[in-house]
Amino acid sequence: MIKEDTLALETRRRIYDLILTTPGLHEREMARKLQMSLSTLDYHLHYLEKREIIVSKRDGRYTRYFVSKKIGAQDKRAISLLRQKTPRSIVLFLLLNPKALHKEICSEIKKSPSTISFHLKKLMGAGIIDAISLGRGTAYEVKNAEKIVDILITYKSTFLDDAVDKFIETWSSIR
């Protein structure tokens, strides 16, 4: 079955278009945006995934969806983490404050040290940030800042976060 036939049904086309324009959404977010029941959405997601039109990626307790062959594996990991508020806040802070210390990140993000450590570990595991030893302390920086900024700019309207808008404004003014 070719893609056009698969997307002939309006419901499937709406789901596909949402995933294309807003990659990395999880099922509940899609159901809200499309005003569709979870069971209907689940049926069509399974249908589209079985035909390799979309792919899902497990992200902790969420399954996030992407259009097949549109976004690379590293970008999927980055988008999945940037869809979460705390990791996104950490990344935005580190983009503007490279080589920030753990306590500076905690102070800015207003989360406990253990919460920040948890998210830093996830971000390092995904290859988004690096830890740099500075004497007795550890500093953090975004690995491929230009790529992360590109993702933020490309999908700016899908994050629905004033912090992303302010970051892009600031980043543009200093570049």
Side-chain angles (χ1 to χ4, degrees), residues 37-50:
S37 75
L38 277 171
S39 58
T40 300
L41 178 62
D42 190 53
Y43 170 81
H44 290 293
L45 287 172
H46 180 71
Y47 182 92
L48 291 168
E49 195 168 11
K50 193 171 177 185

Side-chain angles (χ1 to χ4, degrees), residues 19 23-24 53-55 57 64-68 71 76 79-80:
I19 295 170
I53 304 295
I54 64 169
V55 295
K57 181 182 180 322
R64 297 188 182 276
Y65 293 88
F66 300 88
V67 172
S68 293
I71 298 173
K76 284 178 190 165
I79 290 169
S80 292

Side-chain angles (χ1 to χ4, degrees), residues 46-134:
H46 180 71
Y47 182 92
L48 291 168
E49 195 168 11
K50 193 171 177 185
R51 283 151 186 81
E52 298 179 356
I53 304 295
I54 64 169
V55 295
S56 63
K57 181 182 180 322
R58 193 84 180 127
D59 168 34
R61 61 181 214 227
Y62 295 109
T63 299
R64 297 188 182 276
Y65 293 88
F66 300 88
V67 172
S68 293
K69 299 175 183 92
K70 289 277 186 193
I71 298 173
Q74 179 63 28
D75 287 358
K76 284 178 190 165
R77 280 192 295 276
I79 290 169
S80 292
L81 284 166
L82 291 171
R83 290 253 173 251
Q84 301 170 40
K85 186 171 178 36
T86 301
R88 181 174 61 244
S89 299
I90 292 169
V91 169
L92 293 174
F93 178 70
L94 290 174
L95 283 167
L96 293 173
N97 303 279
K99 296 189 172 108
L101 299 172
H102 188 273
K103 68 178 183 177
E104 295 169 329
I105 300 168
C106 293
S107 174
E108 176 66 25
I109 309 299
K110 295 174 180 44
K111 298 281 184 187
S112 72
S114 62
T115 298
I116 295 299
S117 293
F118 171 78
H119 290 290
L120 287 170
K121 194 179 287 186
K122 278 196 327 191
L123 289 163
M124 285 187 291
I128 295 171
I129 64 171
D130 269 334
I132 304 146
S133 288
L134 294 177

